[in-house]
Structure formats: structure tokens, C-alpha cells
Amino acid sequence: MVERFLQTLFMENKPPFAVITGASRGIGAEYARALAAQGYDLLLVARDQNRLNQLTNELRQTTSVQVWTETLDLARPHAAGTLYQIAQSYRPHVSLLVNNAGFGLYGLFTGMPLSTIQDMLQVHIHVTTESTRLFLPDMINRRQGAIINVASVAGFFPIPYMAEYAATKAFIISFSEAVAMEAKETEVSIQVCCPGYTETDFHKTAGHRPHHMISPHTPRDVVQKSLKALRSGQTLVTIGWQGLATQWITRFIPQKWLTRLSARLVRPNSSSH
Ligand SMILES: NC(=O)c1ccc[n+]([C@@H]2O[C@H](COP(=O)([O-])OP(=O)(O)OC[C@H]3O[C@@H](n4cnc5c(N)ncnc54)[C@H](OP(=O)(O)O)[C@@H]3O)[C@@H](O)[C@H]2O)c1
């Protein structure tokens, strides 16, 4: 489906156009590298202009695609509307939207600054929902396009000390799966990508170093799997055997037990970190 759509665009001599949020580093930057290699023109969005510039220079040296960057704080009210207007100012039609921007928070819920929690709700829930609402109708009208919403395996079950992170990612999973079902007959793909522990700045920013028996994914593992799954129209995507195992375990073990276990593993000052 997506391949046919890319073929059509290339036949019309128009490169496909992807908008990627949180593209300044980590998984978002890797989506940019992979999509540029596939011939997508790119709009890269994040707050850190220096990092966006560095990535743009890298992509211009290695590919011939057009790359535009915009600094935008997605925690601001109405950020999705601003994102949509910016995207429209470059191209009327967006082929692929990657809602990847996000951050973690670690610690006792009542100890979190309210403003930081509000930022998380805005970036994870409002931007994902509103941008899907804004970008999807044009894709459906043209019977072409795809949206990738980046969630997490943390959205599969409640996680004490990361309560709002896990809950917002659970929202993204539920929302994306439901809208993907609604869009099933439209030839537009909606994917919810659920990485596990991945080597990026994410954990440092969240103030948490997870203790794991299993090796982390690389951003490349995540993006390669996500884009491969997009070609087959898969909705819920996990990465590697670890992701598959988490998906199955969380389906069969009662939530109360999972919540108790995750509290033990994640608790601040526990021996696990
Ligand atoms: N790493 C993991 O283990 C892991 C696991 C599962 C899911 N994920 C998810 O994967 C996504 C990418 O995370 P990552 O691991 O690549 O982390 P990262 O390296 O910390 O990158 C996060 C990206 O989000 C952007 N961002 C954060 N807040 C923003 C805001 N208010 N406005 C605009 N952009 C913002 C950052 O850009 P600026 O700082 O430049 O604005 C950065 O580009 C997130 O949604 C995360 O929840 C990560």
C-alpha cells in the first residue's frame, strides 16, 4: 500500500514529504536519516536548532533530499495547529507524519512539578491527537499517506514512579489502534510504534537509568522495524523479541501483579538503579 503510494509520487516527479517531530536527536533523528535515504523531503521539528542544523548538514552531505527545520516547543498550547500550518507552508500534502517527540519523568507523582506534567500531557496527548486530526483528512481524501505515533512498551501496563509517562503512552496506543481501525478501508496507514529500552538521551533527561537484564535497542533497530512494518500495514509495532515478549506477558499477567512488580523495579533508591 505504502509502496504503491511512493511509486505514484515518484512517477509524478514529486518526492514524498515527511514531517518528523522530536527530530533533533535519538529515534526522531534516525527516522530522518532512514526516510532521507528513501528519498523523502523532510520537515524536522524540535526545540534545539543547533542539533537540527547539524542533522541537516549531515543529510545534505549524504542525500539530495530537501530538508527544512523549524524550532517549535510542542508543549505550548495549540502546538499541533502551529505544526500543521508550518507543514502547509512548505507543502500542501504530507505523505508521512511521525509524532515522535516525547520525554520521560521519573519519581513520585506528587513530587512532580505540575507544569512539567502539563507539558507531558500536551506533547504526548494533545499534539498526537490534534495533529492526527489535522493531517489525516487530507491523507484519506487522497487515499495516500501514513502516520506513525511513537508510544512505548511502557504504555502496556501501569508503572509507578513513571505514572504519567506510562499513562500517556497507553493513551497513544489506544487512540492510534482505534483510529487505525476506522481508517482501515482508506489506504492510509496508522502505526503505533512501541519501543522498549533504547539507547538515547531519553533516560538522562528523565533522570532515570534503567537496570536491565537485556540489552537495549539502538534507534536504528527501532526505525528499521517501524518502517518495515509500515510497508506491511502493521498497526501495533514492538521491537525485537524483547518487545514481543513484553507484549505477550502484559496480556496474560494480571495488571495488579505487573504494577506491583514494576513498582519494585522502578522505585527510586531501590537496588535496581
Ligand atoms: N529511549 C527509550 O528507551 C524509549 C523507549 C520507548 C519510547 N520512547 C519514545 O521515543 C520518542 C523519542 O525519544 P528518544 O528516545 O529519541 O529520546 P530523546 O533522544 O530524548 O529525544 C526526544 C526528542 O523529543 C523532542 N522533544 C521533547 N520535548 C519536546 C517539546 N516540548 N517540543 C518539541 N520537541 C520536543 C526532543 O527535541 P528538543 O529537546 O530539541 O526539543 C528530541 O528531539 C519519545 O516519544 C519517547 O517517549 C523512547
Side-chain angles (χ1 to χ4, degrees):
M1 182 165 34
V2 174
E3 265 163 8
R4 188 163 66 83
F5 152 58
L6 290 179
Q7 270 169 9
T8 313
L9 285 172
F10 281 119
M11 272 158 52
E12 287 170 3
N13 233 354
K14 282 183 207 144
F17 177 46
V19 176
I20 307 171
T21 69
S24 57
R25 53 199 152 98
I27 295 169
E30 203 55 38
Y31 271 112
R33 291 185 186 100
L35 291 169
Q38 289 184 16
Y40 278 80
D41 287 343
L42 299 174
L43 172 59
L44 309 178
V45 178
R47 292 165 302 182
D48 187 334
Q49 186 64 57
N50 286 338
R51 278 178 180 262
L52 289 173
N53 289 344
Q54 277 170 26
L55 180 59
T56 305
N57 290 338
E58 177 195 321
L59 296 175
R60 285 188 181 142
Q61 278 166 19
T62 50
T63 68
S64 56
V65 300
Q66 298 229 50
V67 184
W68 298 286
T69 63
E70 289 284 344
T71 45
L72 177 63
D73 183 354
L74 294 166
R76 291 273 176 91
H78 314 297
T82 310
L83 177 70
Y84 181 68
Q85 280 166 10
I86 292 170
Q88 294 279 292
S89 72
Y90 289 102
R91 290 275 175 85
H93 303 301
V94 172
S95 324
L96 173 63
L97 168 67
V98 186
N99 273 315
N100 163 77
F103 64 99
L105 283 176
Y106 174 62
L108 202 60
F109 177 69
T110 48
M112 295 293 168
L114 183 57
S115 61
T116 315
I117 295 170
Q118 286 166 334
D119 286 354
M120 180 174 283
L121 297 176
Q122 171 64 25
V123 176
H124 293 182
I125 295 185
H126 286 268
V127 170
T128 304
T129 310
E130 293 169 24
S131 65
T132 301
R133 174 64 184 83
L134 290 166
F135 285 90
L136 185 57
D138 178 62
M139 294 179 182
I140 291 176
N141 284 341
R142 295 186 309 117
R143 300 175 69 81
Q144 290 178 346
I147 296 179
I148 298 174
N149 291 328
V150 179
S152 168
V153 292
F156 292 164
F157 55 101
I159 307 185
Y161 313 107
M162 295 185 81
E164 57 291 324
Y165 180 74
T168 55
K169 293 296 181 178
F171 174 92
I172 295 174
I173 295 169
S174 168
F175 167 74
S176 305
E177 286 197 289
V179 179
M181 185 61 76
E182 290 182 24
K184 204 170 183 312
E185 309 300 327
T186 67
E187 306 203 24
V188 176
S189 290
I190 295 171
Q191 178 189 113
V192 57
C193 176
C194 299
Y197 172 32
T198 308
E199 279 289 16
T200 66
D201 290 348
F202 174 89
H203 305 280
K204 199 172 66 184
T205 311
H208 177 236
R209 190 77 209 162
H211 174 82
H212 276 266
M213 288 80 61
I214 50 178
S215 57
H217 307 301
T218 63
R220 194 180 144 80
D221 297 331
V222 175
V223 170
Q224 294 298 316
K225 176 68 196 291
S226 165
L227 295 180
K228 189 170 171 212
L230 195 64
R231 288 195 284 277
S232 62
Q234 190 182 336
T235 301
L236 180 76
V237 174
T238 53
I239 317 303
W241 66 266
Q242 305 94 318
L244 209 58
T246 313
Q247 200 179 339
W248 281 99
I249 288 168
T250 51
R251 237 174 241 179
F252 294 113
I253 297 185
Q255 275 216 346
K256 202 163 114 184
W257 296 4
L258 283 170
T259 312
R260 200 174 294 155
L261 178 67
S262 57
R264 261 197 228 145
L265 290 173
V266 181
R267 190 192 317 272
N269 303 321
S270 73
S271 57
S272 61
H273 57 273

